[in-house]
Amino acid sequence: MYKYLKSFIFTIIIFSLLSFTVTFAKAQTSYSFDDIKEYKWAIKAVEKMHAKGIIKGVGDKKFAPSKPVTHLEALALILRTLGYEETSELPKEYKGKVPAWGKEFIGLAYEKGLVTSEELKTFNPNKDAKRYEIAKYLVRALGLEKEAKLNMNQKLLYKDWKAVPKDSKGYMYVAVKEGLIVGDGKNLKPNEPVKRIEMAVILERLDEKIGNTISSGKEVIGTVYQADESSITVKVGNLLKTFPVIKNVPVFDGNDYLKIDSLKKGYTVRLILDGKNNIIFVEVLNKNSEEVIPIQLEKAISLPQNVLNLVESLKETQNVKLVEENGTYYIIATRGMMRTGGYSVSIEKAQIIKSENKTTLEVEIKYQNPSENAIVTQAITYPYDVKMFKYDGKIDDIKILYKYNLAP
């Protein structure tokens, strides 16, 4: 009896552990829609284009991934990706019915050349859009219609190439060439309706092709300097920019969904921001293999004479210099001549970046201005800061990262 009881208790424990593991694993991934989990190849596209305000759900956290897109929906999505949202009247050439929300998009599509006046005569906004028809809209969106017309007689090595309507072959050819429409290796399926999940991927390709940053939010591409659950700091040129992170922000490396603590220093990332500059989407563009060596900076109090001389020679200009003296490195940051007090410059952080070719010192410099109503010394000042650190290797270059805290 005791033996069976032990076995039963052991089974219960194992089951409990497995249940906890499953529950924990589910908590790691939080998608914008509940019905896209099985479409791993398209989740990043859905999340990205949703974050940019281009695609939306159908309500109740549903995306309806397998539902075909209509011609009107396809045009609206493509126009949003191009950054067009302005109002436009319904063209007089169009005599058919149209949902109230779609009148402006038909007008815009006509104005921007996505549909012709001849096509408007038979345009059915509620009809499912086929792949070859989407190809035509995409090619026109890129301004490549002339190229399409010159390639009407081209052939692609797909089994179903003959199924592409004759007057659409050039458009399909260009859309495939530009990487907007992709087959399965054997077939293009030109006459199949495009599903919403497929349209999300097509829109991401179009977005990448035009390099569009016009959306309901903003887009920033930079190198990760620091990342945690609350914020991400990136290097953009010579500036450091810090943005807060929304809870459960989606982070993607290709089609792999990551946790935010997977982001490492040196990764190149795309950040999509909402109207309040919160990060709502992160995409890893490149994993840099550089080695990052943190540095412990110390306030330099007693300076060697050559460092003092350099400070004196630099103080009238804004400058940053690195000096090595007997195995100790000194960073000198000067602000230049200021006509009052209240101005400062400080060396905040530093780190060494080692790549295959060189070793670079990255230094974060912060400038502070006095506020408008501040009481300051009425005298000429020369703000500067000097920090020191120990490093037993050679530093080939210095890169300055600027942080400004300038009062209005």
Side-chain angles (χ1 to χ4, degrees):
M1 180 68 180
Y2 178 73
K3 178 179 179 182
Y4 290 120
L5 183 59
K6 281 181 64 180
S7 177
F8 176 77
I9 293 172
F10 178 77
T11 303
I12 292 295
I13 291 172
I14 292 298
F15 180 79
S16 299
L17 288 172
L18 288 173
S19 299
F20 174 78
T21 302
V22 171
T23 303
F24 181 77
K26 287 182 178 179
Q28 300 307 299
T29 304
S30 178
Y31 300 128
S32 297
F33 305 103
D34 294 333
D35 55 355
I36 62 174
K37 296 175 184 177
E38 63 183 277
Y39 300 92
K40 185 177 179 181
W41 54 275
I43 290 176
K44 179 184 67 115
V46 173
E47 293 285 357
K48 179 179 175 181
M49 303 315 285
H50 177 60
K52 297 191 80 169
I54 292 170
I55 61 176
K56 301 172 183 177
V58 297
D60 196 28
K61 286 202 72 177
K62 302 298 180 185
F63 184 70
S66 60
K67 181 182 178 183
V69 294
T70 66
H71 279 271
L72 182 55
E73 290 169 340
L75 287 173
L77 290 168
I78 291 171
L79 287 166
R80 284 179 190 153
T81 305
L82 294 173
Y84 300 126
E85 287 277 8
E86 64 260 34
T87 58
S88 181
E89 295 181 358
L90 195 64
K92 62 182 180 180
E93 289 84 355
Y94 181 67
K95 306 299 181 183
K97 295 181 180 181
V98 61
W101 68 268
K103 291 180 181 179
E104 296 175 355
F105 286 110
I106 292 180
L108 269 176
Y110 178 62
E111 286 180 13
K112 304 302 179 183
L114 271 63
V115 292
T116 66
S117 56
E118 189 65 27
E119 289 169 343
L120 282 177
K121 294 177 182 178
T122 57
F123 182 78
N124 185 344
N126 299 315
K127 185 179 179 182
D128 294 346
K130 298 177 180 178
R131 287 167 65 83
Y132 81 85
E133 294 169 323
I134 295 291
K136 187 174 290 187
Y137 297 151
L138 293 169
V139 169
R140 288 171 176 168
L142 290 175
L144 299 175
E145 183 160 36
K146 184 176 181 181
E147 183 180 344
K149 290 183 176 180
L150 291 173
N151 286 282
M152 286 296 182
N153 295 320
Q154 289 283 0
K155 294 181 180 180
L156 291 175
L157 298 177
Y158 289 93
K159 290 183 177 181
D160 56 358
W161 180 250
K162 291 183 179 180
V164 180
K166 187 176 180 180
D167 62 352
S168 297
K169 288 186 183 293
Y171 294 99
M172 199 67 168
Y173 173 82
V174 174
V176 173
K177 176 187 170 188
E178 293 293 325
L180 297 170
I181 300 292
V182 178
D184 61 7
K186 296 180 180 179
N187 297 290
L188 282 173
K189 304 175 183 178
N191 292 293
E192 285 194 6
V194 175
K195 298 176 182 178
R196 283 170 58 84
I197 196 75
E198 296 168 331
M199 193 67 192
V201 176
I202 289 171
L203 292 173
E204 185 191 27
R205 294 171 186 156
L206 175 62
D207 189 63
E208 290 289 333
K209 182 68 66 175
I210 62 177
N212 185 29
T213 59
I214 303 172
S215 65
S216 62
K218 291 177 285 187
E219 184 173 310
V220 174
I221 294 179
T223 304
V224 174
Y225 186 72
Q226 185 174 329
D228 56 41
E229 294 287 343
S230 61
S231 67
I232 297 176
T233 300
V234 291
K235 293 179 286 185
V236 182
N238 286 336
L239 294 177
L240 287 177
K241 297 186 177 183
T242 301
F243 304 97
V245 176
I246 65 165
K247 186 179 180 181
N248 296 324
V249 63
V251 181
F252 283 91
D253 177 13
N255 288 323
D256 293 328
Y257 190 100
L258 306 178
K259 293 190 294 183
I260 199 166
D261 59 10
S262 298
L263 296 177
K264 307 297 182 186
K265 285 186 176 181
Y267 282 15
T268 302
V269 294
R270 172 186 282 112
L271 308 177
I272 296 178
L273 315 175
D274 64 14
K276 297 181 179 179
N277 279 349
N278 297 308
I279 299 173
I280 56 177
F281 178 88
V282 181
E283 180 182 8
V284 177
L285 301 178
N286 181 39
K287 291 182 177 179
N288 204 317
S289 61
E290 296 173 334
E291 179 186 0
V292 180
I293 303 173
I295 288 175
Q296 182 64 46
L297 292 176
E298 298 178 22
K299 185 70 178 178
I301 300 174
S302 179
L303 300 176
Q305 189 59 48
N306 65 325
V307 177
L308 284 171
N309 293 340
L310 187 55
V311 171
E312 186 64 25
S313 67
L314 294 173
K315 71 177 186 179
E316 294 189 3
T317 61
Q318 181 174 301
N319 220 320
V320 179
K321 291 289 184 180
L322 181 66
V323 182
E324 189 269 335
E325 177 75 15
N326 298 323
T328 299
Y329 284 91
Y330 295 87
I331 306 170
I332 303 170
T334 56
R335 185 74 193 268
M337 185 184 75
M338 298 296 155
R339 299 193 178 276
T340 69
Y343 293 87
S344 67
V345 56
S346 58
I347 301 165
E348 300 284 295
K349 297 178 183 177
Q351 61 183 12
I352 290 175
I353 307 293
K354 294 189 71 174
S355 64
E356 294 181 3
N357 301 321
K358 65 179 180 179
T359 300
T360 302
L361 175 70
E362 283 189 348
V363 182
E364 181 182 320
I365 306 293
K366 181 179 178 181
Y367 295 116
Q368 177 79 46
N369 281 7
S371 62
E372 186 176 351
N373 299 318
I375 299 174
V376 296
T377 303
Q378 298 301 308
I380 300 295
T381 61
Y382 300 91
Y384 73 91
D385 189 21
V386 182
K387 295 281 175 46
M388 55 183 283
F389 65 93
K390 298 283 187 178
Y391 180 64
D392 58 4
K394 178 187 176 185
I395 296 175
D396 303 304
D397 193 16
I398 180 170
K399 181 178 181 180
I400 312 304
L401 304 173
Y402 296 105
K403 289 184 72 176
Y404 295 91
N405 189 8
L406 306 180

